[in-house]
Amino acid sequence: PTLVGHPEGSHVVASVEVRGASASGDVKLSIQDADGDELAATSTHNLTTGFVRLSTSIAIGRPAAAYRVAVVTVANHNINFYVD
C-alpha cells in the first residue's frame, strides 16, 4: 500500500507477519519513498513454515510525502510466501 499525508515530525511504523509456503528464502520489510528508494528496512529474515513478525519505522523529517510499505525478497527467488 501507499501511505500519503503524514506530516513532518510524525512516524511511519510498519509491521507484518510472514511465513514461507513450503520453500525457504530470504525476505525483509521495507518502507520506501514514492520512487521506490528504501528509507528503512528490517534485517534479512529466512522464511520458515511458522509466522514471524517483522517491524520497522522511520521518523518523517521532511514535508508530507507518499510512502510505500513492501515485503520484498532479498535475492531474486522463485518462492511463495504469506504476509498478514
Side-chain angles (χ1 to χ4, degrees):
T2 299
L3 308 172
V4 181
H6 292 277
E8 187 174 349
S10 64
H11 289 78
V12 174
V13 178
S15 181
V16 298
E17 292 190 12
V18 296
R19 78 172 181 90
S22 60
S24 63
D26 297 325
V27 298
K28 66 180 177 179
L29 174 62
S30 174
I31 298 176
Q32 305 167 351
D33 65 14
D35 295 325
D37 295 325
E38 188 172 272
L39 303 174
T42 62
S43 58
T44 300
H45 171 69
N46 190 334
L47 293 168
T48 63
T49 56
F51 276 104
V52 173
R53 181 175 299 275
L54 304 178
S55 298
T56 191
S57 66
I58 60 168
I60 300 172
R62 59 183 181 187
Y67 297 92
R68 297 177 183 171
V69 176
V71 177
V72 297
T73 57
V74 177
N76 193 10
H77 296 289
N78 185 20
I79 59 173
N80 295 320
F81 61 94
Y82 301 101
V83 178
D84 186 15

